[in-house]
Amino acid sequence: MDSKPDPQGPESRGAAKDLGPVAGRDRPAMTGASALQKSYTEKPGRTDEQHGRIRKKRSRWLLAAALAAALAVSGVAWQQNSLSHWTHPSSTAQNVQQEQTLTLTEADVDYPATAAARAALARGEIPPSLAKVDAATRSQILSGETKLYTQRLTEENQQQGHIIHVQVSKAGVVIAEDVLTPERHIGSPIPGTPGVATHFHFTVENAGPKGFVTPGVHSASGNSARTGPLATGQSGDVETVVK
């Protein structure tokens, strides 16, 4: 028998066997780390379907925001437009025509009315036609600086059934009011001072069977300043200036 110990004797082989499992345990540990890394890197993200749903939600939100902004702008525009109609009645259907101006001459002076007014003022009386006229204008009538003018305000052959209210003013102050009918187409005597405009504001209460009327101021020379056709409820304006 050989007395030399076997280099691969039982102890050595036992040690080798013991090392085997250690090495085996190390390898599974690395394999586990690799698996963990693989599990992390391969974690599923958002699918195309999920991205599509997100894009649809975002598109709906942007569309809703754009719609809200458009409605806000429309509301402001409507409010401004509505406000302009209330604060500027000349831009509505109630005032259908731009103002016209008629020049009055010496031929348009109502001499009988002027003489009667001067006589009444000289007696210290105020004629009914001058009740709303200021004291300065009455003084001018008395001195002869200002004369009275009486104009025809509707056509003599105007249709039956119409009722028109006319308000006469100077510098924004009402000095006379009349109601025009088929029987009354002449206005009250109005004082006229050279260079000072007299404003006539017509409002139709009833336009008659034809559906419209055309009031205005007519001069002795045949010239006129008219509002144009006005239906019931509509208004129009003209001015006169003494030459």
Side-chain angles (χ1 to χ4, degrees):
M1 282 182 74
D2 192 354
S3 60
K4 292 181 179 180
D6 186 357
Q8 299 294 330
E11 294 180 0
S12 298
R13 286 194 299 272
K17 289 179 181 180
D18 291 338
L19 291 174
V22 172
R25 282 194 301 268
D26 290 342
R27 283 192 299 270
M30 292 176 63
T31 303
S34 300
L36 181 61
Q37 183 179 6
K38 182 178 181 181
S39 175
Y40 175 78
T41 56
E42 293 183 2
K43 183 178 180 179
R46 292 171 176 166
T47 63
D48 291 342
E49 182 179 356
Q50 290 174 328
H51 279 296
R53 285 198 297 268
I54 292 173
R55 282 194 296 269
K56 287 181 180 179
K57 288 181 180 178
R58 187 175 300 167
S59 298
R60 286 196 296 267
W61 184 88
L62 291 174
L63 179 60
L67 181 60
L71 290 175
V73 172
S74 299
V76 171
W78 177 87
Q79 184 178 11
Q80 291 177 343
N81 190 43
S82 299
L83 182 62
S84 65
H85 280 288
W86 283 103
T87 55
H88 301 285
S90 61
S91 64
T92 69
Q94 294 300 315
N95 224 329
V96 299
Q97 180 171 316
Q98 190 174 11
E99 192 172 282
Q100 295 188 29
T101 300
L102 174 68
T103 300
L104 301 179
T105 65
E106 193 71 20
D108 295 300
V109 176
D110 188 338
Y111 288 102
T114 301
R118 284 178 182 168
L121 292 172
R123 295 191 302 267
E125 301 172 0
I126 298 178
S129 61
L130 302 180
K132 296 183 179 181
V133 175
D134 57 60
T137 301
R138 290 197 292 266
S139 297
Q140 291 172 347
I141 295 172
L142 182 60
S143 67
E145 181 182 352
T146 295
K147 300 179 178 66
L148 298 184
Y149 297 78
T150 303
Q151 273 80 44
R152 180 166 49 88
L153 303 180
T154 59
E155 300 288 350
E156 293 182 1
N157 59 351
Q158 191 76 263
Q159 62 181 330
Q160 297 295 314
H162 71 266
I163 302 175
I164 305 170
H165 296 265
V166 56
Q167 193 175 70
V168 186
S169 61
K170 286 180 180 290
V173 179
V174 176
I175 60 173
E177 292 181 284
D178 282 308
V179 178
L180 306 176
T181 64
E183 295 75 28
R184 176 179 168 80
H185 54 269
I186 303 295
S188 300
I190 302 299
T193 304
V196 179
T198 301
H199 187 91
F200 293 78
H201 179 73
F202 299 91
T203 301
V204 180
E205 179 182 331
N206 190 336
K210 191 177 288 187
F212 66 89
V213 289
T214 309
V217 181
H218 303 265
S219 71
S221 63
N223 295 326
S224 63
R226 291 180 286 187
T227 64
L230 299 178
T232 298
Q234 292 184 323
S235 299
D237 302 82
V238 299
E239 282 189 345
T240 60
V241 175
V242 175
K243 185 175 180 180

